[in-house]
Structures are given as structure tokens and as C-alpha cells.
Amino acid sequence: PIYFLFNLALVEEQMGNIDDAIKYFKKVIFYKSDDANAFFSIGILYSKKGKSDIAIKCFKKAIEYNYSDYFSHFYLAEEYKKIKEYDFALVEYRKVLELSPDYSWAYYNTAQIYYELKRYDDAVIMLKKTIEKNPKDMEAYKLLCQILIKQEKIKEVKDIVVKFTEKNDNGDMYYIMSKLFEIDGDKASQLDTLELVFENQDTLTFDVDSIKKEYNELKKSKWIQTNIS
């Protein structure tokens, strides 16, 4: 009955019936106490319910019965990260990368922890690895540029932004470019670049309303009374 019960659990999960799904996964474990997939699935569901303590126990059991499954290590790391147990999270992310060296999310999430701990040099290394594995990861580019600006490595940020925008129109990267012009005190170029941001809102994840406010204030500072609606 294990296959049948597992599929019943999956159906309940797809229907949003998390408690019923957990019940069926637990029945799977009743018949097969070392079913790593069932423990992993229960961990995911308890994570969705916000019960990190139970989720962590489930992911640990999944790892006990199938150590080589990097997803179990990854989601265990995620739960530790969620409750700010950063040392434990870093250990699990390292295990993910030992098992799956190309898994870019593990590099990026490790970088996020280093950023929170103000270990900026380590974060930069991880973000560059993220981009190496996934050159389209805009979140990695954004965080990398933000850290480099904090470190006052403006030339490196400029090189990244220019290289990226030569091949891609991207609202986020244009916004970062506008901040570089702000640092340089070049208001005219900053204004022009913000207009490129608005032309590429479909690739913008920064808050557009705050950018519009910034744009309008910059316009006023140049004695031009024009608003973006």
C-alpha cells in the first residue's frame, strides 16, 4: 500500500490539504520506517506550516536514510537559515555543494548568510560563484553590486554593470547604474539612466514607487517640474 498512500498524500498536498497530506505520509512511514522521501515530504509541509523545529527533525531523518540527497541538506539549511541558526545552515550548504557543486542556489544562500554576518569578502566570493553557475541570476548581481558599493569598489561595480547592460536591457542594472552616477555627482546621467529604468520596468524588482519619488525629486532639483504617473 506504500505507493498508493504516497500518491494519496501528493494529491492532498496539491489540493492544499496539508494536514491530510502529512497524515498519509506518516502512514507511509508506518509501513516503511526508513522512507527518506516521506520524511522529506513531511519536512516540506511542516516548513510551509511555519513549524521549523519539526521540519528540521524530518529533514534530519531524511538525510539519515539517504545522505546523498542534496535537496534534504538544502532544505535543512533553509530551515536553519530561517531561524537564524547560521552556523548550522552553513554546514548544510557546504554539504549541498559537496554533493552537487553546480547547485547555484546553495552558493547564493550562503552569500546571503555571509552578508547578514557582515562577512562581505566571503559573500562576494559566493556571489561570483553563483553567477558563474547561473549567469542570469539577477538577485546575485544585485547583492554583489550592493556589497561592492559598500566596500567602495566602484570601478568593479561599473565594470559589472556596463558588461551586463551591453548585452541586456535590465531595469535593475540600470537602477544600480543610476546610483553610480549619484555617487559621482552626475545628476544629468543619473536622470537619463532612471528613465531607462522606467523603460524596462518588466525586469525591475526594486520598488518602483520609491524610484519614481527619487526621479521626481531629482527633476525638481534641476528646476524641471515634470512628474511620472
Side-chain angles (χ1 to χ4, degrees):
I2 293 173
Y3 179 81
F4 176 70
L5 288 169
F6 202 97
N7 279 283
L8 273 178
L10 292 176
V11 169
E12 293 294 346
E13 181 180 359
Q14 290 171 359
M15 293 174 62
N17 301 325
I18 291 179
D19 290 334
D20 288 334
I22 290 172
K23 179 180 71 177
Y24 284 119
F25 281 128
K26 284 182 176 179
K27 286 186 177 180
V28 171
I29 293 168
F30 177 80
Y31 288 103
K32 188 173 185 291
S33 61
D34 62 349
D35 194 307
N37 288 331
F39 278 111
F40 174 79
S41 299
I42 294 171
I44 292 291
L45 294 174
Y46 275 116
S47 177
K48 288 180 179 179
K49 288 168 68 75
K51 296 185 176 181
S52 290
D53 55 337
I54 303 176
I56 286 169
K57 290 177 183 177
C58 291
F59 292 135
K60 284 183 174 180
K61 293 297 286 186
I63 291 167
E64 179 183 338
Y65 297 124
N66 184 9
Y67 182 87
S68 63
D69 178 27
Y70 69 90
F71 275 121
S72 294
H73 290 283
F74 180 79
Y75 281 98
L76 176 56
E78 289 286 274
E79 289 305 311
Y80 281 133
K81 179 169 172 274
K82 194 184 297 182
I83 61 175
K84 300 186 184 303
E85 291 282 359
Y86 292 141
D87 288 340
F88 290 122
L90 289 171
V91 168
E92 292 304 319
Y93 284 132
R94 288 190 198 104
K95 290 177 183 177
V96 174
L97 293 171
E98 288 170 8
L99 294 165
S100 183
D102 292 329
Y103 194 55
S104 65
W105 276 106
Y107 291 108
Y108 178 71
N109 289 8
T110 299
Q112 285 185 311
I113 290 177
Y114 285 145
Y115 179 75
E116 289 296 320
L117 296 174
K118 301 188 187 310
R119 291 172 57 179
Y120 297 133
D121 289 338
D122 291 327
V124 166
I125 291 169
M126 289 294 108
L127 289 166
K128 288 180 177 179
K129 289 293 290 186
T130 305
I131 292 166
E132 176 190 320
K133 301 298 181 182
N134 182 11
K136 295 182 179 180
D137 191 328
M138 278 309 305
E139 292 303 311
Y141 276 108
K142 282 170 58 180
L143 186 54
L144 175 59
C145 289
Q146 288 170 17
I147 293 172
L148 291 173
I149 289 171
K150 276 180 178 288
Q151 295 180 314
E152 299 183 350
K153 296 179 179 178
I154 305 304
K155 184 182 182 302
E156 190 172 349
V157 181
K158 286 180 178 177
D159 290 343
I160 292 169
V161 173
V162 169
K163 185 177 179 181
F164 189 92
T165 53
E166 280 176 353
K167 297 180 180 179
N168 307 276
D169 284 321
N170 183 275
D172 283 337
M173 294 305 272
Y174 283 130
Y175 183 64
I176 291 169
M177 185 184 289
S178 77
K179 303 311 286 182
L180 296 177
F181 286 127
E182 182 181 8
I183 290 168
D184 288 341
D186 186 348
K187 290 188 177 182
S189 296
Q190 183 186 358
L191 197 62
D192 291 340
T193 310
L194 285 173
E195 288 173 356
L196 288 173
V197 172
F198 298 128
E199 290 174 15
N200 293 276
Q201 286 190 51
D202 59 323
T203 53
L204 182 68
T205 60
F206 289 108
D207 181 53
V208 68
D209 290 331
S210 64
I211 296 173
K212 287 177 180 178
K213 182 179 178 182
E214 181 181 335
Y215 175 87
N216 288 325
E217 288 175 353
L218 190 59
K219 279 277 195 179
K220 288 176 183 177
S221 74
K222 292 173 66 66
W223 302 283
I224 300 173
Q225 301 298 320
T226 305
N227 288 326
I228 292 272
S229 59

